[in-house]
Amino acid sequence: MEALLNYFETIPSLHRSLILVGGITFFWLLEGALPLFKFSYKKWKHALPNLFFTLTTIIINFALAFLLLKTSDWTVANNFGVIQWVSLPLWAYILVGVLLMDFIGAYLAHYVEHKIKPLWMIHLVHHTDHHVDTTTANRHHPLESMIRFTFTLMAVLVVGAPIGIVMLYQSLSLISTQFTHANIKLPKKVDAAISWVLVSPDMHKIHHHYVLPYTDSNYGNIFSLWDRLFGTFKKFDRDAIVYGVDTFPDEVENSNLKSLLKQPFHKYRKPTRVEE
């Protein structure tokens, strides 16, 4: 475990890039072999705006990375944060650190984005993809990338996470989101078994169903624990899922980069809620 932590403390930028590109490539190919939905779309054309938003996310995170490093170093130097205040074996220190980073930096951020109207309008860009696949994972408006970074920074401070745990969490988060958004069809029992511990593809796809209450469920990123603990876990027939958002149904606009960049500035539209 010490070697793992040491590796992520000094993980080269090349290795982080390989995780990103390798993950997208792997799941992109897997989607062709085990598709959940047989989309009639031009895969590369669909991917272009999503890859643009992936690039803007990378640029923003890279530009602000020094804040993560400084905050992390400060918490360790000053013995500040949850995992700095308790005595744990190394494996538990890492596990609890990643768990809490996932809760504050991902689950809580995601939950808040759905509950505060201006933040929902920013997050909407992620939900207006009508063909969810692995490239959807980082389809975040630049404003959302900054919001997510703020929550990650807050998580580092509260958790007291050393930079090794921060980098490990971010790497796991990246692979997890590529996996859960990928247009892949696992055996239902396998997917259900995974969802007891980790967010599974079927579990997360429910979150992309076009109407409430399903859109406001299954917020988890890496671990399914938080949805089960806070009552936001839902089940739904994966074959009945319809992607998108009922209040922004125009697929052409939702595939156009200029329209997507303007989407957060539209007037709020009240979504439809269906009976479960």
Side-chain angles (χ1 to χ4, degrees):
M1 294 301 287
E2 187 174 353
L4 177 71
L5 196 59
N6 289 339
Y7 168 73
F8 279 100
E9 282 177 355
T10 58
I11 183 171
S13 296
L14 175 61
H15 291 193
R16 297 185 70 190
S17 299
L18 287 173
I19 292 172
L20 171 65
V21 176
I24 289 177
T25 302
F26 174 76
F27 291 117
W28 179 293
L29 295 174
L30 196 60
E31 288 173 338
L34 299 169
L36 174 60
F37 296 115
K38 293 183 179 179
F39 295 135
S40 56
Y41 73 149
K42 294 180 180 179
K43 196 172 176 72
W44 271 106
K45 184 178 180 181
H46 164 262
L48 286 176
N50 295 353
L51 294 176
F52 171 83
F53 287 121
T54 299
L55 180 60
T56 58
T57 299
I58 292 169
I59 291 170
I60 289 168
N61 286 342
F62 182 78
L64 299 176
F66 74 98
L67 291 174
L68 283 184
L69 180 59
K70 293 293 184 182
T71 303
S72 177
D73 288 348
W74 183 87
T75 62
V76 174
N78 291 276
N79 197 37
F80 186 90
V82 175
I83 63 173
Q84 302 296 335
W85 296 332
V86 293
S87 179
L88 296 169
L90 184 59
W91 68 267
Y93 175 78
I94 294 172
L95 178 59
V96 172
V98 171
L99 274 166
L100 293 178
M101 286 290 299
D102 186 54
F103 171 62
I104 301 171
Y107 178 87
L108 184 61
H110 200 174
Y111 181 86
V112 169
E113 285 178 330
H114 277 252
K115 299 304 177 183
I116 299 177
K117 290 178 183 178
L119 298 188
W120 164 247
M121 293 304 296
I122 294 170
H123 180 54
L124 186 68
V125 171
H126 181 70
H127 277 268
T128 52
D129 195 336
H130 296 260
H131 302 98
V132 174
D133 64 18
T134 194
T135 68
T136 310
N138 290 298
R139 177 180 158 126
H140 298 300
H141 193 280
L143 291 174
E144 178 171 9
S145 297
M146 295 179 71
I147 293 166
R148 291 287 183 123
F149 183 88
T150 301
F151 273 89
T152 301
L153 192 64
M154 180 172 64
V156 172
L157 185 63
V158 172
V159 176
I163 198 63
I165 286 180
V166 176
M167 293 295 105
L168 172 60
Y169 160 71
Q170 289 193 326
S171 298
L172 291 173
S173 175
L174 181 59
I175 293 297
S176 178
T177 55
Q178 291 173 344
F179 170 57
T180 57
H181 287 87
N183 180 38
I184 55 176
K185 186 176 186 178
L186 300 180
K188 286 188 176 181
K189 288 184 178 179
V190 172
D191 194 286
I194 291 171
S195 73
W196 278 103
V197 179
L198 304 174
V199 178
S200 67
D202 284 1
M203 176 183 166
H204 189 71
K205 297 301 191 315
I206 293 166
H207 179 76
H208 280 271
H209 190 47
Y210 78 115
V211 288
L212 297 175
Y214 302 101
T215 312
D216 283 358
S217 69
N218 299 2
Y219 297 107
N221 180 37
I222 300 175
F223 300 101
S224 61
L225 163 69
W226 310 118
D227 283 299
R228 294 181 182 277
L229 186 63
F230 294 108
T232 53
F233 178 83
K234 287 194 182 298
K235 294 183 179 181
F236 190 67
D237 180 7
R238 67 185 182 187
D239 296 318
I241 290 171
V242 177
Y243 294 135
V245 179
D246 65 325
T247 54
F248 285 81
D250 192 327
E251 187 174 338
V252 175
E253 280 194 5
N254 295 336
S255 303
N256 181 273
L257 183 57
K258 287 184 180 180
S259 297
L260 290 171
L261 287 169
K262 295 176 183 177
Q263 208 162 61
F265 308 104
H266 281 272
K267 186 178 180 181
Y268 175 78
R269 303 172 188 177
K270 188 176 180 180
T272 302
R273 178 177 288 270
V274 299
E275 294 295 325
E276 295 181 67

